[in-house]
Amino acid sequence: DALELGHSDQALRLANVDRMIGREHLLDRMLAGCEQARRSDRPVWIRLRGAAGAGKSTLVAHFAETLPAGNVLLTGGGEAQSQTVPHAALIAAFDCLLRHWLAAAEAEIATIRADLHAAAAGNLGVLEPLLPRLSSVVGALSAPQPLAAHAELARFLAAWQAFVRID
């Protein structure tokens, strides 16, 4: 028997599939959350979790493709750092928001900057260690004055809440 090269060869890699299989119900739930956010004019948080290779990134990619215009998708996680740094996925998601703001027109950035400064009452500096890109949006931040532990926590929470509420 002669050996025919290329007759029964197979690709060494799996073909990339452009459709999602078996996750439509999850995509529908995510889109329902988007509709809920539109109706209430409040952001909706969706947390996906699962084993490595379960398809979380693929699901998010498909979700991003189906999002109605005017929505912003913040993603975080998937990095090795998220296993060792507390709240790394959340920090990455808010860094995504900062990058989104920085891509806006200067007039919009100026509005965001003014809103953040007004809402945080001069306490944005406490967020800079978590969000180093923040100063690119709001300008130079002064280092916060040391306070007693309970007062520092209260100041941090107030600044964080002000940051999260800005849209």
Side-chain angles (χ1 to χ4, degrees):
D1 252 344
L3 176 65
E4 267 187 73
L5 293 178
H7 182 268
S8 61
D9 291 353
Q10 296 181 357
L12 294 177
R13 290 190 288 166
L14 295 174
N16 197 4
V17 178
D18 285 340
R19 61 188 175 93
M20 194 173 48
I21 300 170
R23 299 284 189 254
E24 292 81 6
H25 68 285
L26 294 174
L27 184 60
D28 289 344
R29 286 179 60 193
M30 293 168 74
L31 289 169
C34 186
E35 177 60 21
Q36 175 189 344
R38 186 193 62 76
R39 283 193 314 269
S40 68
D41 198 32
R42 306 250 331 145
V44 170
W45 298 91
I46 299 170
R47 179 177 153 204
L48 291 178
R49 57 183 192 166
K56 298 177 298 293
S57 296
T58 301
L59 179 61
V60 169
H62 281 273
F63 177 64
E65 290 172 6
T66 60
L67 269 178
N71 288 282
V72 177
L73 176 65
L74 305 180
T75 62
E79 302 90 17
Q81 180 183 20
S82 68
Q83 302 300 314
T84 57
V85 176
H87 311 295
L90 188 60
I91 292 167
F94 281 110
D95 187 63
C96 186
L97 178 61
L98 291 169
R99 289 192 314 267
H100 173 76
W101 285 344
L102 287 168
E106 181 53 42
E108 187 176 348
I109 296 173
T111 299
I112 293 166
R113 180 181 305 120
D115 289 349
L116 280 167
H117 279 292
N123 290 321
L124 289 173
V126 300
L127 300 179
E128 194 169 25
L130 291 176
L131 302 168
R133 201 180 310 265
L134 181 60
S135 61
S136 298
V137 174
V138 299
L141 294 167
S142 56
Q145 296 297 318
L147 300 172
H150 69 281
E152 285 208 18
L153 177 60
R155 176 175 61 188
F156 175 82
L157 291 175
W160 185 255
Q161 289 172 350
F163 176 79
V164 170
R165 289 190 178 121
I166 298 298
D167 60 2

